[in-house]
Amino acid sequence: MEHMFRTRGGSVDVTLARSDDVWILGEHRATVESDGRLKIHLSNGTSGFATVAKVGDCWWVHFKGHTFNFERIEPGASQSGDEGGLTAPMPGKVLQVLVEVGQTVNAGETLMVLEAMKMEHRILAASQGSITEIHFAAGEQVQQGSVLLAMDEED
Amino acid sequence: MVSKVLVANRGEIACRILRACNEAGLASVAIYAANDASSLFVELADESFLLDGDTITDTYLHQAQILDIAKNAGVDAIHPGFGFLSERADFARAVTEAGIQWIGPGANAIEKMGDKMTARITMRAAGVPVIPGEEIEETDEDLALQAIEQASTRVGFPLLLKASSGGGGKGMRAVEHPEELLDAARSARREAIAAFGDGRVYLERLLTGSKHVEIQVLADRHGRTIHLGERECSVQRRHQKVFEEAPCATMTEEIRSAMGKAAVAAATAVDYEGAGTVEFLLAPNGEFFFLEMNTRIQVEHPVTEMVTGVDIVREQLRIAAGQPMSCGDLQMRGHAIEVRLYAEDASNNFLPAIGPLSVFVPPEGPGIRLDTGVRQGDEVTPNYDPMLAKLIVWAPSREEALQRMRRSLDEFVVLGTTTNLRFLRELCDVPDVIEGTTDTTMIDRLWPNGWNPNASIEVEDGALMAAAVAESSGLHRQSHSSPQSDDFSGPVSPFRTLSRRYP
């Protein structure tokens, strides 16, 4: 599941995978406790409880003595300034490649479909343009952050 | 005799006083503005009365209305708390004339200490060291400016111009060079006239690198005036204290004894009664100078309570009832630190913040005290001071107290409204704070371009993941702000249908 949040440092795309009760983000793991808190296991081996509350569009999070306030950006809301989306947001497998090099695509068109933890994730074109490179074929494994495709964007 | 007390205040300090009344077996009365109808302090009182009016002036500052409520409710004492009417001599006098006991010093003492020039003159006469400087009594603009210019050559630069009726930094100007003097004097006078209707200013030598150290005093009608040791409150932002402790880390037994004697002399000189605080500047060479006396209970009184074991508010009630204070010889024990939790954005010039307290979970465990006027589900509004709570810790040593404060601040969860929690937590790691060598300019010196929170990438990733998981799991559909609705959302609760008969 993909979510976009506005942080102090800018917009961040968070794409979660799930295995039974365990949520996965890269090497981090999380479970939802019965009291509504979240147990977070970080990739560095430490863990802690996060307390969350949603006020309006903002998620307030207390974690390890820090308090954060992330505004959730609704999917479909302006995703300008982020010409990325062409990198793998999570480790997984390429399920489908829907375009060819040289093909012209429209903004929002699906370029590639990934699968991770039995969940599909669509890679969309941020703007109109033409595909210049395709780095993976269907069935190949990708790492988080792998560049999947490249395109020339038209303004 | 005091048997029923009206608390002419709101929020945290009203809660503190109402609880003390309850413990002392006194009936209590709260007064509240309409926008405080569901505030915690209203619940803690035996009776509560709505104040008419929409502004602070028409409610918590409306002397006649408050006096009427006091008379109608049949109270025999009024506790003003701090702020609002606590240092208004005219109100103290009106209360006394209405035959109601004022819980605090007499109107004359409030007046003498409230006018800063009168206070300096009174203190000098009592042998209390004041900051070298000169009072300017001239009210005529031209004559006053002339006198200020002449006095400045004797006081020397850098110097401070302060309004005699001033407070909170209003009508105060630091002057580094002689050529800036007249402009600064004109603007200080203008500001003072606008704020207090009194343009008189005085000159003080500017003492840099000094600590703000204050002595708590108690005086009863049985001839006893004592001091309860010092508090250090040097860590300030915009002239407001944020981190206070007792004892002062660099205090020596000799300075404490001399400062304590000076504070008792100051109180005695104005026939003081009840609890008060004498503020001093403590210079690096150990010299100290009278700053002002606060003729009321102070925000940071809990740190003194923690190290002396004296319940200062309870003593106020006792003294007002004409009883001798109950504390005997004092033994300072351990170390206490208080931080003020504000709804404010420390990373944006400490601007006040508003919002819901969707989650408000204070820390628990040994050595922790929380004085607050809010609870989870409350709304922080722009109507009043943004202080939400005072977190106080006690431990046998200063080092352990700091460790306990760090742990407590890490555990404290406040969601829905921006607070200075993280700023306070990072203060605990500042070398000057660890060493106890704080002075009044520390925050400006440490963060000249403002403070920003400093979380590691891993921690922020964890928090982002928490937000994403919460969104994906639909956790936002569980309301945090109204826990009752969770409790009663199931099948019809038997408690709702239970009906009792009262005799």
Side-chain angles (χ1 to χ4, degrees):
Chain A
M1 272 184 228
E2 186 179 0
H3 301 286
M4 185 108 93
F5 296 103
R6 196 162 287 136
T7 71
R8 297 178 68 91
S11 299
V12 178
D13 200 6
V14 182
T15 304
L16 295 172
R18 185 177 186 173
S19 166
D20 295 329
D21 288 341
V22 180
W23 294 89
I24 297 157
L25 175 70
E27 300 290 306
H28 309 310
R29 300 285 180 274
T31 50
V32 181
E33 303 293 306
S34 56
D35 62 358
R37 290 189 302 163
L38 300 139
K39 181 114 195 243
I40 311 277
H41 297 269
L42 293 176
S43 60
N44 64 8
T46 64
S47 64
F49 285 94
T51 311
V52 297
K54 195 172 191 189
V55 179
D57 290 332
C58 286
W59 274 105
W60 291 77
V61 180
H62 179 269
F63 183 54
K64 290 194 173 286
H66 290 265
T67 307
F68 300 88
N69 169 6
F70 302 126
E71 186 193 344
R72 182 163 178 268
I73 303 165
E74 285 295 326
S78 72
Q79 293 181 346
S80 59
D82 188 356
E83 70 269 291
L86 300 185
T87 56
M90 58 190 170
K93 191 174 78 172
V94 176
L95 217 56
Q96 263 183 299
V97 180
L98 301 163
V99 290
E100 294 171 6
V101 171
Q103 185 177 334
T104 306
V105 295
N106 293 316
E109 200 174 313
T110 304
L111 310 177
M112 203 180 260
V113 181
L114 303 185
E115 183 204 51
M117 294 300 164
K118 299 191 176 69
M119 284 176 19
E120 280 189 14
H121 182 84
R122 287 167 188 277
I123 304 298
L124 308 178
S127 61
Q128 197 176 20
S130 63
I131 304 296
T132 54
E133 294 169 47
I134 296 174
H135 296 288
F136 293 93
E140 288 191 76
Q141 294 290 328
V142 296
Q143 294 304 310
Q144 182 175 4
S146 300
V147 178
L148 304 171
L149 315 98
M151 62 183 283
D152 275 343
E153 292 181 17
E154 291 169 18
D155 284 323
Chain B
M1 248 301 275
V2 169
S3 61
K4 187 172 183 182
V5 178
L6 180 143
V7 179
N9 215 301
R10 62 173 301 282
E12 173 270 322
I13 191 61
C15 293
R16 167 75 183 93
I17 298 163
L18 289 163
R19 285 177 166 141
C21 291
N22 180 317
E23 289 165 8
L26 305 175
S28 62
V29 174
I31 53 171
Y32 64 97
N35 54 22
D36 261 331
S38 59
S39 291
L40 177 62
F41 74 93
V42 179
E43 282 178 25
L44 295 179
D46 296 324
E47 296 170 46
S48 54
F49 294 90
L50 176 68
L51 291 160
D52 282 333
D54 298 324
T55 64
I56 292 180
T57 312
D58 287 343
T59 53
Y60 295 106
L61 290 175
H62 200 292
Q63 302 190 12
Q65 190 182 177
I66 294 170
L67 262 181
D68 278 347
I69 292 174
K71 288 175 197 161
N72 292 337
V75 307
D76 40 31
I78 291 183
H79 197 310
F82 49 65
F84 293 128
L85 295 168
S86 61
E87 289 177 289
R88 290 288 296 269
D90 52 347
F91 187 55
R93 197 165 279 131
V95 168
T96 308
E97 279 166 6
I100 297 170
Q101 177 63 45
W102 172 254
I103 302 180
N108 289 337
I110 298 176
E111 263 162 1
K112 276 191 183 148
M113 288 301 186
D115 184 74
K116 304 295 190 276
M117 296 205 320
T118 309
R120 280 172 58 88
I121 294 164
T122 312
M123 289 305 99
R124 217 184 267 128
V128 177
V130 298
I131 299 174
E134 287 188 31
E135 296 79 32
I136 309 290
E137 293 288 357
E138 299 288 354
T139 50
D140 176 79
E141 174 95 2
D142 290 335
L143 291 176
L145 291 176
Q146 247 176 46
I148 289 169
E149 206 162 14
Q150 285 164 10
S152 73
T153 61
R154 294 184 289 270
V155 174
F157 291 87
L159 58 78
L160 267 183
L161 291 169
K162 284 185 176 173
S164 190
S165 304
K170 283 211 185 80
M172 189 162 93
R173 293 286 181 281
V175 187
E176 301 281 335
H177 307 289
E179 56 272 23
E180 301 159 5
L181 179 72
L182 286 180
D183 274 351
R186 281 193 199 98
S187 77
R189 281 178 51 86
R190 251 195 325 269
E191 202 170 284
I193 289 169
F196 318 109
D198 172 9
R200 291 174 308 138
V201 294
Y202 61 100
L203 296 82
E204 263 181 13
R205 188 180 297 161
L206 180 62
L207 301 169
T208 50
S210 300
K211 282 178 169 293
H212 177 116
V213 178
E214 58 191 32
I215 302 274
Q216 175 74 52
V217 295
L218 276 180
D220 64 19
R221 281 177 223 157
H222 298 262
R224 207 165 156 229
T225 301
I226 63 165
H227 76 87
L228 284 74
E230 81 281 1
R231 298 186 281 264
E232 166 164 3
C233 323
S234 297
V235 184
Q236 308 182 359
R237 54 116 185 90
R238 294 190 311 182
H239 302 289
Q240 270 201 313
K241 303 162 183 170
V242 288
F243 182 103
E244 297 126 325
E245 59 184 311
C248 163
T250 57
M251 186 55 83
T252 66
E253 206 40 66
E254 285 144 291
I255 299 175
R256 177 178 295 132
S257 157
M259 210 183 254
K261 276 197 189 107
V264 169
T268 313
V270 294
D271 295 319
Y272 204 81
E273 179 184 315
T277 298
V278 186
E279 299 190 334
F280 294 97
L281 271 188
L282 175 60
N285 66 1
E287 266 191 297
F288 61 84
F289 305 97
F290 172 84
L291 258 185
E292 62 178 40
M293 181 167 189
N294 292 317
T295 52
R296 50 170 167 81
I297 190 76
Q298 248 176 320
V299 177
E300 59 271 26
H301 75 276
V303 290
T304 299
E305 297 187 321
M306 301 297 271
V307 294
T308 59
V310 175
D311 182 336
I312 297 172
V313 176
R314 187 77 187 262
E315 294 295 348
Q316 284 188 300
L317 298 173
R318 211 170 257 132
I319 291 167
Q323 297 160 10
M325 64 179 97
S326 73
C327 44
D329 284 343
L330 297 177
Q331 294 264 306
M332 296 262 259
R333 191 173 147 269
H335 200 94
I337 301 174
E338 170 181 292
V339 293
R340 300 190 191 184
L341 178 69
Y342 283 102
E344 67 180 17
D345 188 353
S347 67
N348 186 11
N349 220 5
F350 301 101
L351 281 182
I354 56 170
L357 296 172
S358 308
V359 176
F360 186 85
V361 182
E364 292 175 2
I368 292 177
R369 164 175 171 182
L370 188 85
D371 282 24
T372 184
V374 299
R375 66 282 216 229
Q376 185 162 307
D378 282 359
E379 191 81 18
V380 182
T381 69
N383 301 327
Y384 302 104
D385 186 90
M387 190 175 83
L388 299 178
K390 310 182 306 206
L391 173 64
I392 306 110
V393 301
W394 180 92
S397 70
R398 187 171 188 277
E399 191 190 353
E400 290 160 292
L402 258 181
Q403 289 167 341
R404 183 161 281 166
M405 182 57 87
R406 290 191 193 102
R407 188 269 291 176
S408 306
L409 287 168
D410 280 342
E411 281 185 17
F412 209 147
V413 185
V414 182
L415 301 182
T417 300
T418 303
T419 73
N420 63 341
L421 263 179
R422 192 63 207 171
F423 174 75
L424 297 171
R425 173 63 186 80
E426 287 185 17
L427 266 185
C428 297
D429 291 335
V430 167
D432 273 341
V433 171
I434 293 170
E435 299 296 318
T437 52
T438 46
D439 68 46
T440 50
T441 57
M442 190 189 81
I443 289 181
D444 294 333
R445 218 167 0 94
L446 279 178
W447 294 290
N449 302 314
W451 172 88
N452 273 300
N454 206 351
S456 72
I457 294 288
E458 288 263 309
V459 168
E460 189 177 84
D461 278 0
L464 275 166
M465 184 181 192
V469 170
E471 181 71 38
S472 296
S473 333
L475 282 183
H476 53 289
R477 283 186 281 277
Q478 296 175 15
S479 168
H480 287 277
S481 54
S482 50
Q484 305 93 319
S485 63
D486 281 345
D487 292 343
F488 294 124
S489 59
V492 177
S493 159
F495 297 104
R496 279 180 175 173
T497 52
L498 189 72
S499 60
R500 286 185 195 275
R501 283 178 188 279
Y502 294 94

